[in-house]
Amino acid sequence: MITTEQVKQLRDQTGLSIMQCKKALEEAGGDMEKAIVILRKKSGDVAAKKSDRTLGSGIIASYIHAAGKVGAIVELSCETDFVSKNEEFQKIAYDIAMQVAACDPQFLKMEDIDDEAKKAAVSVFAAEVEGKPEELKEKILEGKLNSYFGEKTLYEQDFIKNPEMKIKDLIAGAVQKFGERTEIRRFVRFSTEA
């Protein structure tokens, strides 16, 4: 039997509704970690269903590192002013701006990587797979490219506040939490270092 304390604990961890947490715990047989995985999977499904909705609102968030040498600005879009004015939504935008300042992504999504960048990376990593068995070369090269571009792509980066989650999971969770399509529209990072 699922206790109200378990539901409260999961709700505190995820910020999702009591009913969503209760259903996930029931599905997971009371296992908190499994319930979190179930909620993350469902958040991806919810995000996919809402992907064609119009983004009519949003917020601009900024983060300046304490030393004042690095900063970032992020535009996080949603459907309505009601959500964009929500304190939790604004906190997500701020956290993403902090992520941009800390991790210096070059691309927003994998599909934003231009052919020139791909060719340059392939030429570097092709040399590293020389001498490997022919049947493994392509798979190794693909893994190296995915890893390399994953670190340079904001949606694919591990969230600095919770490395078990990627930024795309954070966005999918926001869609589930607020019930609206949410996405990072653009970002920019500034640094005084050359």
Side-chain angles (χ1 to χ4, degrees):
M1 186 174 135
I2 308 304
T3 66
T4 51
E5 185 56 39
Q6 286 175 300
V7 174
K8 183 184 181 314
Q9 184 182 356
L10 184 58
R11 186 169 197 274
D12 290 345
Q13 258 187 291
T14 63
L16 297 173
S17 74
I18 291 170
M19 285 307 296
Q20 287 175 312
C21 293
K22 185 174 188 249
K23 284 180 183 176
L25 280 165
E26 287 171 352
E27 193 176 325
D31 184 318
M32 192 68 65
E33 294 305 314
K34 280 185 183 174
I36 289 171
V37 170
I38 289 167
L39 288 171
R40 282 195 185 140
K41 182 187 178 313
K42 287 184 179 178
S43 70
D45 295 343
V46 169
K49 287 179 188 171
K50 296 177 189 263
S51 66
D52 61 345
R53 291 189 180 176
T54 303
L55 296 169
S57 192
I59 185 170
I60 304 291
S62 63
Y63 172 81
I64 307 295
H65 188 63
K69 295 195 179 283
V70 177
I73 299 174
V74 169
E75 180 182 3
L76 185 63
S77 298
C78 59
E79 296 175 41
T80 65
D81 283 345
F82 178 76
V83 169
S84 69
K85 291 178 181 175
N86 182 297
E87 206 172 292
E88 286 183 67
F89 183 85
Q90 293 174 1
K91 184 180 180 320
I92 291 169
Y94 175 81
D95 286 347
I96 294 169
M98 184 188 308
Q99 176 86 22
V100 170
C103 298
D104 192 17
Q106 306 300 304
F107 309 99
L108 180 59
K109 298 177 180 176
M110 289 296 241
E111 50 268 22
D112 297 336
I113 301 167
D114 57 65
D115 289 337
E116 194 173 304
K118 286 179 188 173
K119 284 178 187 173
V122 166
S123 69
V124 169
F125 293 121
E128 292 182 18
V129 296
E130 282 303 314
K132 303 285 184 200
E134 209 54 48
E135 64 276 4
L136 296 178
K137 275 186 181 180
E138 194 169 321
K139 201 168 199 152
I140 294 170
L141 182 60
E142 184 180 326
K144 286 180 175 288
L145 289 170
N146 285 339
S147 175
Y148 174 75
F149 284 119
E151 291 174 14
K152 297 196 168 301
T153 305
L154 182 56
Y155 267 77
E156 301 300 321
Q157 288 180 342
D158 292 337
F159 181 34
I160 57 175
K161 286 190 165 185
N162 179 1
E164 294 176 14
M165 150 188 297
K166 294 194 177 298
I167 294 297
K168 65 182 175 186
D169 301 325
L170 179 69
I171 297 298
V175 172
Q176 185 176 18
K177 183 182 286 188
F178 301 115
E180 288 191 6
R181 178 179 169 209
T182 302
E183 67 180 47
I184 302 165
R185 190 166 281 171
R186 55 192 166 161
F187 66 90
V188 66
R189 181 181 186 268
F190 299 93
S191 174
T192 60
E193 299 161 1

